[in-house]
Amino acid sequence: MYLVTGATGFVGSAVARQLLTRGDGVRVLLRAGSDQTNIRDLAVEVVEGDLLKPETLCGAVEGCDGVFHVAADYRLWTRNPESMFRTNVDGSRAIVHAALSAGVSRIVYTSSVGVLGHVPGGAADEETPVTYAEMIGPYKQSKFRADEAVRQLIEEKGAPVVIVNPSTPIGPRDIKPTPTGRVIVEAASGKMPAYVDTGLNVAHVDDVAAGHLLAFDKGSVGERYILGGDDMPLADILAVVARQTKRRPPSVKLPHSAIIPIAHLAEAWTLMVGGDEPFVTVDGVRMARKKMFFSSAKAERELGYCHRPADQALNDAVTWFCDNGYLR
């Protein structure tokens, strides 16, 4: 039996599906009232609990052979950064503590490439130097602190944790959708007339999920593994989306400085009228100044990780968004 946190989300549901496909029993930790769309068709055991209520976690981890801690508050903008820190830092510490106390043999903790360093003009890896001061926005800052908390438990308590760092997962069942998924939806709907010069490492969500299982089976405790795909400039990503939707890709490239005032206005408007997240955020524009390119060579070498072409991931994402009514 394996416990998956965040199983109602994009990556978490893909991890749960991979486990079920190979015949494993899956238990999922859900908060009361969670949207269960992504697991409605899955034969999983549901346990109600909350990462911020440690007393609810003991029963969730009891009898489990392993834990996949995928849950995170993933947004590029929030009205309440403290809440994001509690979920990502305190929640990660709590589930690892619970698993350790229950004698779970291995824990896979889902971090992010956002906490790794940057190589101008190249691809970063697990050893690229980075500091907290380089983290832009509360999401990256909170995940950086969560990494520190998990590593402390590895070093001081002997927690059997393997860390994975997904790059930019793309594909089906992005129900929220994620910030990158929102870009794809807007582009596929013909609502993105311009773009900025940035780049992402694009990976199919099912490959990222398979990488989680490989990390559990073959990863070394205390090590981190980038689970990525292909490096792609944003212009190329939008071109792939345009081809599939038979639209023209945007041809206007805007300087980052031109987007910052729009982002400030979008955030102010969201604060004033309500809403979950503005489409463009100041932190998002600041992040876009760097191309988020990464190498999965370590995971390929040590875990046997592999990934399909980014075009396939993008095509699968567009198809799913289209089939599920996201494109208008």
Side-chain angles (χ1 to χ4, degrees):
M1 177 66 70
Y2 296 88
L3 176 70
V4 180
T5 71
T8 59
F10 184 35
V11 175
S13 65
V15 171
R17 288 171 189 275
Q18 291 278 340
L19 288 166
L20 290 169
T21 297
R22 74 175 190 181
D24 294 319
V26 177
R27 180 182 295 164
V28 300
L29 178 72
L30 300 186
R31 288 179 299 177
S34 294
D35 180 356
Q36 298 188 29
T37 301
N38 263 348
I39 61 169
R40 194 163 290 148
D41 61 337
L42 302 184
V44 298
E45 176 188 344
V46 176
V47 175
E48 189 173 301
D50 191 322
L51 292 171
L52 299 182
K53 297 177 180 178
E55 68 277 8
T56 69
L57 303 180
C58 298
V61 297
E62 184 179 359
C64 286
D65 301 303
V67 170
F68 291 84
H69 177 44
V70 190
D73 186 344
Y74 175 32
R75 293 174 288 167
L76 298 185
W77 184 87
T78 175
R79 290 180 175 82
N80 188 353
E82 291 183 4
S83 175
M84 181 175 283
F85 270 79
R86 285 195 299 272
T87 297
N88 292 344
V89 182
D90 298 343
S92 296
R93 186 184 290 114
I95 192 67
V96 173
H97 261 302
L100 185 60
S101 298
V104 171
S105 64
R106 178 150 300 195
I107 306 156
V108 174
Y109 164 64
T110 308
S111 182
S112 165
V113 292
V115 305
L116 303 178
H118 172 250
V119 177
D125 62 20
E126 292 86 352
E127 303 302 322
T128 303
V130 67
T131 65
Y132 180 77
E134 296 173 66
M135 298 295 104
I136 297 174
Y139 173 69
K140 286 190 175 185
Q141 291 166 354
S142 64
K143 291 295 282 185
F144 190 93
R145 292 302 190 212
D147 264 34
E148 291 181 329
V150 170
R151 286 195 169 279
Q152 184 177 16
L153 290 171
I154 296 171
E155 294 166 5
E156 297 181 1
K157 303 293 185 180
V161 180
V162 179
I163 301 171
V164 293
N165 298 75
S167 58
T168 307
I170 296 295
R173 300 178 299 277
D174 188 1
I175 61 172
K176 204 172 183 178
T178 59
T180 308
R182 293 174 69 190
V183 170
I184 293 173
V185 168
E186 293 296 307
S189 301
K191 298 178 180 179
M192 187 173 290
Y195 66 97
V196 295
D197 182 22
T198 191
L200 299 169
N201 182 277
V202 177
H204 197 291
V205 67
D206 291 337
D207 294 337
V208 170
H212 279 67
L213 274 62
L214 289 168
F216 185 93
D217 294 338
K218 302 180 179 181
S220 298
V221 169
E223 292 293 320
R224 67 166 72 248
Y225 300 93
I226 294 172
L227 305 178
D230 295 332
D231 292 328
M232 293 184 74
L234 179 58
D236 291 354
I237 293 172
L238 299 177
V240 172
V241 174
R243 281 198 303 271
Q244 186 170 355
T245 55
K246 296 180 173 56
R247 297 181 182 275
R248 289 185 178 181
S251 57
V252 178
K253 182 169 69 175
L254 296 175
H256 296 86
S257 58
I259 307 297
I260 287 290
I262 299 172
H264 279 294
L265 287 172
E267 290 186 7
W269 178 259
T270 302
L271 285 171
M272 183 172 64
V273 303
D276 294 331
E277 185 176 347
F279 177 70
V280 59
T281 68
V282 174
D283 286 340
V285 178
R286 291 175 62 205
M287 292 178 195
R289 294 182 184 275
K290 300 177 180 179
K291 289 184 171 66
M292 299 286 286
F293 290 166
F294 296 92
S295 169
S296 299
K298 180 179 177 181
E300 293 165 9
R301 182 176 64 251
E302 298 185 15
L303 307 180
Y305 174 75
C306 59
H307 64 85
R308 68 200 79 184
D311 285 20
Q312 185 177 342
L314 290 163
N315 289 339
D316 285 355
V318 172
T319 298
W320 188 86
F321 284 130
C322 181
D323 291 346
N324 288 272
Y326 287 76
L327 309 185
R328 308 195 184 282

